[in-house]
Amino acid sequence: GRVRLHATAVGGEPNTGAIAVASGSRISADATVVGNGGDIRVMAERTLRAYGTLTAKGGAWGGNGGFMEASGGYAVPAGDNNGGIDLTGIRTDASAPYGKAGEWIIDPFDVTIVNGAASGSLTGNPFVPLGTSTIQDGDINAALNSGTSVRITTGDPGVGSPFLGDIVMDDVQIEYSAAKGPVTLQLDAHRSVRGNGASVIASIGDPLNVVFNADVNGGGAATGGGQVSYSGDIFTNGGNVTMNGSWANASNGMCSVCLTFATIDTRTGNQQFIPGTPGVYTGGSDAGTGGNVSLRGISTLGDTVNASNGAVYIFNSVISTATGNITMFGSHANGSGVQIQNFGFSDTISTTSGNVSITGIGSYTANSTEAPGHGVVINGETIRTVDGNITVTGRRLAGGPAVGDGDGVLILDGGLLQTTGNGDIRVTGQSDGNGAGINVALGAATLPDGAIESNRNVVLRAVNNGSTDALVIAGTVEAANVLALRPGGVDLAGNPFDRTDVPIFLGGAAATGFGVSAAEFGNMAAPTYVVGSNTHAANITVQAPFALPAALTLQNGGGGGIRLAAPVSVTQLGLLSAGDITQAVGTSITANALLARSTGGNVLLGQPGNNVAVVGGGAAGRFEYVDANALTLGSPTVVGMDAASNLPQAVTGGAVNAGQAFVRALTGDLSLATDVATTGGADLVAAARFQNLGAYGITGAPWRVWADTWVGETRGGLFGSGLLPNYYSCAYLGLCTVTVSPTDNHFVYAQQPTATVQIANAFRPGATGNPQFTYSLTGLILGDTSAGFAGVLSTPALPSSPPGSYPINGTFTSAAGYAVNVVPGTLTVAGMPDLLKPDIVRENPSTWLYDRNIGPVPICLATGPLGGDSAAQGGDVLAREWSRVRSRPNITSCIDTERRNGCGDF
């Protein structure tokens, strides 16, 4: 149901517009079985005395709690202070056993919450005007413990009113000890919410949410304030804490949200330390859960006379959550955005798994307690998480002196950001002037230096106007995993972003722009550094030598180039760019592994002083690397930064892909531990041997593998192509006795094997021409054939040469580069064939008898005398002898035919 009591003031009569509710009275708008509680409004335009009981409970079996309002003094004329409320001993109940807690709202102009638990009563004239409004903390406790949320709000008293619209807690002890579900205490002030003394707001029951809002009506400068200030303790046992301030007073540069010597603990597990003493507790338990803490302060006007604190100002205070997040945002027109200071105390702002986010926008002031004003100042305070992330973002707007502008983020005098578990730390700072974007400063006098320590990753992004160093690391920065450095800015809403257009300089004095000097690297420690990101688009230059006992990745995947103008010595180096990666003459890279990859340019790292064990990468154009020692061409993995997630990412080398590839080891072996693919050819040069450590291939355009020797090499299935797959006696850029074909794949060796030409022996008869000579070829290696061998065989023997043995010589060449050893053969020339010789040497024939005897032997029957006529032979001695001997032919078989030249002639 709905119950409304409304008293209206009549004219200027102070005794009108008043309501009085006696202590024994009861006003109810409860649900019965199932349903939401009703609506009760007791509203007096001037004076309200309410000591009775108001209930608007939800149903016993379901429904939410209702709404109750007790208001007064909201229509008091200007200059009239006859308006207020007195709720001493009031009892309210808007609980809901099975639903959301209802709300009790109190709405005067000004109100003071006092410590007390008295019971009120109507005495005398209950309508006598009240000049002030008070609420006992005991009455608030009773409402909370009934399961009812309490909201106290102040209205706009108007111009000329003596009221200010403030809510003041005067050393109160507000305690929620029941188990009625989460409830909320909310203070909404037209101007300010203030806590005087050591007030305590706590729960040892179910979670209690605490909300303080200043300038809720948006009056701004007209309210003359708009501040939340608190110096007591708040223990919520899992509930959230929210504070919003909006200071707009030009005559006083105060903070919008101010915590001084305060404690905020939202962790579960709170225990009452002294029984019977409300509001005195131990802390919470890190093992429990925890509510969120949100602090937001906007200071729109500044003070040029009085000292200004940050818009969110935390001084010697403790904020603790477990799983809850801590969020701060401060923006100041004449001072620092967020200012956290701790002088001589061991106070912390901490979570376990919750995140901490601090954002500040500051401006110039000559009177700031941290002059001349900064985005975020962390001075002497420790901000710590276990597994939660810490994010600090600060911007210092333009303005102020020409020298000494404030910083985006300043950490000094023992200020510490720390994660001890799996949390990351991310700091982004921008100075629109000549201050530092991020300044981790030295401590003053005997105070510790500023520090950043993470058990995981640290990301630092900074930028300024370029006239001074944007990233100043004079204190210490440590990361147990990755420390990432790159330019970054902050927009006017406090959102961080990358400044991909700002160049990066390493190793030098780092006097201007984004630079990290060798000295600053000395103040940092991490196993892996990443400078730039996958979207950074400006150049990265190593301008002076530096060495790190860690891995380093330079990354501008969005554009620009990487220039090594000085030596770099690290355990592992990653060069990841969209532009050219180059190296100045005389510089060197010293690392266990190098991954150099350009997605849009060349990799030209050809200096002979390089000393890297494993190299990988690729290029859109030419990939060139030269090393002084033995080298493995492989696939190392380095760490880069993904700008979108702001997290490290592994970048694996994979195959070497390039337009052209050239890799050379000036001493020792060159080993292949990854595939190579090119569109314009590859040259792999080993000073000793080539070793293919697996079945890795070289594909694409024709390639050449250069080595000193083939002895002990491992080709791993690689073979050359063409008629001459292997070349010898040819050193890269040295003595070379062959012409290496550019159209096939080749192994090329400086050493020269020897092939033997064995010329076969030959025989011929005398007085004949030489036969065709033959030879055999031995000593070929690596599957070579006789292709490319050419020669001429010769002998001094001529057709007319006398019988004997003559050498068969040869002259041979090898297009593959073999040394040719020729073993001569032997040509044997035989003598003339044997002929029939006469018994005697006869004279020249002078008779017809010779013809007869030289001709065929006649077959004739010897019938006549055998003696013959010797006289007929005349003086022919041979004829006479021939007739006498009759040895040839067998004359006994001849027949005398009485004809000349016949048998009878014998």
Side-chain angles (χ1 to χ4, degrees), residues 245-330:
S246 181
W247 187 261
N249 192 329
S251 65
N252 194 331
M254 295 298 290
C255 41
S256 291
V257 174
C258 313
L259 297 178
T260 57
F261 296 97
T263 297
I264 298 176
D265 190 337
T266 68
R267 295 172 295 178
T268 58
N270 285 328
Q271 299 295 321
Q272 191 167 341
F273 187 64
I274 301 175
T277 303
V280 181
Y281 300 90
T282 62
S285 169
D286 282 345
T289 61
N292 299 322
V293 176
S294 175
L295 310 178
R296 181 178 178 86
I298 309 295
S299 296
T300 56
L301 295 176
D303 189 346
T304 59
V305 178
N306 298 302
S308 294
N309 294 319
V312 173
Y313 179 65
I314 300 175
F315 180 77
N316 285 4
S317 297
V318 176
I319 300 176
S320 303
T321 74
T323 59
N325 299 321
I326 299 174
T327 304
M328 303 179 196
F329 179 89

Side-chain angles (χ1 to χ4, degrees), residues 355 385-390 417-426 452-459 477-484 525-529 639 641 645-649:
N355 299 320
T385 72
V386 179
D387 297 326
N389 298 324
I390 298 176
L417 306 180
Q418 185 182 62
T419 62
T420 60
N422 293 319
D424 292 339
I425 298 177
R426 299 163 184 161
I452 299 173
E453 300 173 359
S454 174
N455 197 47
R456 210 166 78 126
N457 304 311
V458 172
V459 179
V477 177
E478 299 179 1
N481 188 37
V482 174
L483 174 53
T528 301
Y529 294 77
V639 176
M641 280 299 295
S645 65
N646 221 357
L647 290 172
Q649 60 178 188

Side-chain angles (χ1 to χ4, degrees), residues 361-778:
I361 308 293
S363 185
Y364 171 74
T365 178
N367 302 295
S368 172
T369 54
E370 289 291 349
H374 310 280
V376 174
V377 180
I378 300 171
N379 185 342
E381 184 85 7
T382 296
I383 299 173
R384 178 184 295 123
T385 72
V386 179
D387 297 326
N389 298 324
I390 298 176
T391 302
V392 179
T393 307
R395 179 172 178 177
R396 167 57 155 79
L397 301 176
V403 178
D405 284 1
D407 303 320
V409 175
L410 173 62
I411 303 173
L412 74 161
D413 293 346
L416 172 64
L417 306 180
Q418 185 182 62
T419 62
T420 60
N422 293 319
D424 292 339
I425 298 177
R426 299 163 184 161
V427 182
T428 306
Q430 174 175 336
S431 173
D432 293 0
N434 61 9
I438 297 174
N439 186 357
V440 183
L442 294 173
T446 59
L447 295 175
D449 300 335
I452 299 173
E453 300 173 359
S454 174
N455 197 47
R456 210 166 78 126
N457 304 311
V458 172
V459 179
L460 303 181
R461 294 183 289 180
V463 74
N464 63 3
N465 65 5
S467 64
T468 59
D469 190 5
L471 178 66
V472 177
I473 308 296
T476 60
V477 177
E478 299 179 1
N481 188 37
V482 174
L483 174 53
L485 310 169
R486 65 185 189 269
V490 182
D491 65 21
L492 292 176
N495 300 307
F497 61 93
D498 279 355
R499 282 292 303 272
T500 61
D501 60 316
V502 176
I504 298 173
F505 299 93
L506 304 178
T512 60
F514 188 94
V516 186
S517 67
E520 287 176 319
F521 273 116
N523 295 330
M524 296 185 283
T528 301
Y529 294 77
V530 180
V531 179
S533 74
N534 60 344
T535 63
H536 190 73
N539 292 336
I540 300 176
T541 303
V542 176
Q543 58 185 5
F546 72 93
L548 291 175
L552 171 66
T553 298
L554 309 183
Q555 186 177 22
N556 50 1
I562 297 175
R563 176 68 170 169
L564 304 183
V568 177
S569 178
V570 292
T571 59
Q572 178 178 274
L573 181 61
L575 303 175
L576 308 175
S577 180
D580 288 341
I581 300 173
T582 59
Q583 186 177 23
V585 174
T587 62
S588 62
I589 299 170
T590 302
N592 295 325
L594 165 66
L595 178 61
R597 175 179 294 155
S598 171
T599 58
N602 302 308
V603 173
L604 303 175
L605 303 173
Q607 293 304 301
N610 293 333
N611 182 12
V612 177
V614 180
V615 170
R622 179 173 175 81
F623 180 88
E624 177 179 324
Y625 179 78
V626 175
D627 197 273
N629 299 302
L631 177 67
T632 296
L633 185 59
S635 179
T637 297
V638 300
V639 176
M641 280 299 295
D642 176 53
S645 65
N646 221 357
L647 290 172
Q649 60 178 188
V651 180
T652 302
V656 175
N657 290 282
Q660 301 87 34
F662 173 79
V663 179
R664 185 180 185 187
L666 295 177
T667 60
D669 293 348
L670 175 62
S671 299
L672 185 64
T674 190
D675 295 324
V676 177
T678 67
T679 58
D683 287 279
L684 308 182
V685 185
R689 299 168 300 179
F690 171 77
Q691 303 286 12
N692 190 349
L693 302 180
Y696 298 107
I698 309 175
T699 59
W703 52 263
R704 291 152 295 279
V705 172
W706 307 75
D708 178 68
T709 181
W710 59 91
V711 178
E713 78 173 2
T714 303
R715 289 191 171 186
L718 280 178
F719 295 97
S721 63
L723 292 176
L724 301 176
N726 305 304
Y727 285 101
Y728 311 93
S729 188
C730 185
Y732 184 80
L733 297 182
L735 177 65
C736 185
T737 62
V738 298
T739 300
V740 179
S741 168
T743 58
D744 294 306
N745 304 323
H746 301 288
F747 284 88
V748 186
Y749 302 97
Q751 298 299 316
Q752 186 177 38
T754 299
T756 298
V757 174
Q758 177 70 56
I759 301 176
N761 295 331
F763 173 86
R764 72 170 175 85
T768 62
N770 294 326
Q772 182 176 356
F773 300 134
T774 63
Y775 65 90
S776 61
L777 186 62
T778 60

